[in-house]
Amino acid sequence: GENVEQHPSTLSVQEGDSAVIKCTYSDSASNYFPWYKQELGKGPQLIIDIRSNVGEKKDQRIAVTLNKTAKHFSLHITETQPEDSAVYFCAASRSGTASKLTFGTGTRLQVTL
Amino acid sequence: EAGVTQSPTHLIKTRGQQATLRCSPISGHTSVYWYQQALGLGLQFLLWYDEGEERNRGNFPPRFSGRQFPNYSSELNVNALELEDSALYLCASSQRGVGNTIYFGEGSWLTVV
């Protein structure tokens, strides 16, 4: 089955700096890679996703890059703000009805003033 | 549009008892997923239901079971509760066959004492 590794487990950045979280996956057939943000006491919220037919996707201060050859993908947050502080999870799956998302172990991002 | 709703928000049970958690998916979604998130840990896949059928099951003992009703809502049952079952149980839903974009509810906190 799919295995997703996520690094780092914790990340502390100063407000205004950039943050990068990296994930690797094992199943070369995986073609869907979402990122979720989980605030304390809440359920994970989808913040951005990418499919294997593109290499990069941006949404305001958030971007995701995908390297299919190396089987890794990354989340980039620019101009970080205190409200970006949360746990971020990457995930991978094959599209279609016969699969499920496999999540990374999460990264706790702390944005300090 | 209402998101994924879960009930109860919090539940306290005694070891050996049974717990029932409920989930209503986003309108139009036919797939429901259950995940377990122990305190400070990642998301562990439990069950996936689609069109009333169990489609996939994670590495959990048979005392974790569930079902999906004709209106696509779902129930997760945990029998013979153990202390280590204490966790946040997250329900998510997706449209069938649309790239596995799943949306989570806020979760149900189960505490076993």
Side-chain angles (χ1 to χ4, degrees):
Chain A
E2 176 66 276
N3 182 51
V4 178
E5 294 187 359
Q6 183 171 350
H7 300 279
S9 57
T10 60
L11 179 60
S12 182
V13 299
Q14 284 196 321
E15 184 180 6
D17 287 349
S18 295
V20 180
I21 303 170
K22 299 181 180 180
C23 289
T24 60
Y25 60 99
S26 61
D27 185 355
S28 57
S30 287
N31 55 8
Y32 175 62
F33 309 93
W35 286 87
Y36 289 84
K37 174 184 180 182
Q38 186 175 28
E39 297 176 349
L40 194 61
K42 296 189 175 182
Q45 300 298 309
L46 178 71
I47 56 171
I48 194 168
D49 57 12
I50 191 169
R51 301 183 191 276
S52 59
N53 56 341
V54 297
E56 185 176 2
K57 184 177 179 180
K58 286 184 179 180
D59 183 5
Q60 299 183 350
R61 297 185 296 109
I62 293 173
V64 57
T65 58
L66 171 64
N67 183 327
K68 284 191 64 181
T69 303
K71 290 191 285 189
H72 68 69
F73 56 112
S74 300
L75 177 71
H76 304 253
I77 306 174
T78 59
E79 300 172 19
T80 54
Q81 301 169 2
E83 51 264 39
D84 295 329
S85 296
V87 178
Y88 292 81
F89 290 96
C90 63
S93 79
R94 302 182 185 187
S95 288
T97 58
S99 68
K100 60 173 176 63
L101 278 174
T102 300
F103 284 85
T105 49
T107 296
R108 183 173 299 278
L109 173 64
Q110 181 69 46
V111 180
T112 58
L113 298 173
Chain B
E1 180 181 299
V4 177
T5 58
Q6 293 187 242
S7 64
T9 306
H10 294 88
L11 186 62
I12 300 175
K13 289 286 187 177
T14 303
R15 190 171 48 184
Q17 285 188 317
Q18 178 195 44
T20 298
L21 308 176
R22 296 177 178 84
C23 171
S24 291
I26 292 172
S27 177
H29 287 190
T30 62
S31 281
V32 170
Y33 309 80
W34 288 95
Y35 285 83
Q36 182 197 64
Q37 187 176 31
L39 193 61
L41 298 181
L43 294 93
Q44 302 299 317
F45 170 73
L46 266 165
L47 291 159
W48 170 27
Y49 291 95
D50 182 69
E51 299 284 352
E53 299 287 331
E54 182 180 302
R55 301 296 184 181
N56 206 339
R57 182 181 182 86
N59 188 25
F60 280 84
R63 57 191 186 82
F64 287 84
S65 64
R67 53 181 173 166
Q68 186 178 33
F69 299 99
N71 66 353
Y72 305 116
S73 67
S74 178
E75 217 172 65
L76 174 69
N77 295 294
V78 188
N79 295 318
L81 285 166
E82 301 178 1
L83 297 178
E84 50 265 36
D85 296 333
S86 296
L88 178 66
Y89 288 84
L90 292 160
C91 175
S93 73
S94 73
Q95 290 181 307
R96 187 166 187 256
V98 187
N100 285 47
T101 300
I102 72 172
Y103 300 90
F104 284 89
E106 300 287 31
S108 292
W109 286 98
L110 172 63
T111 301
V112 183
V113 298

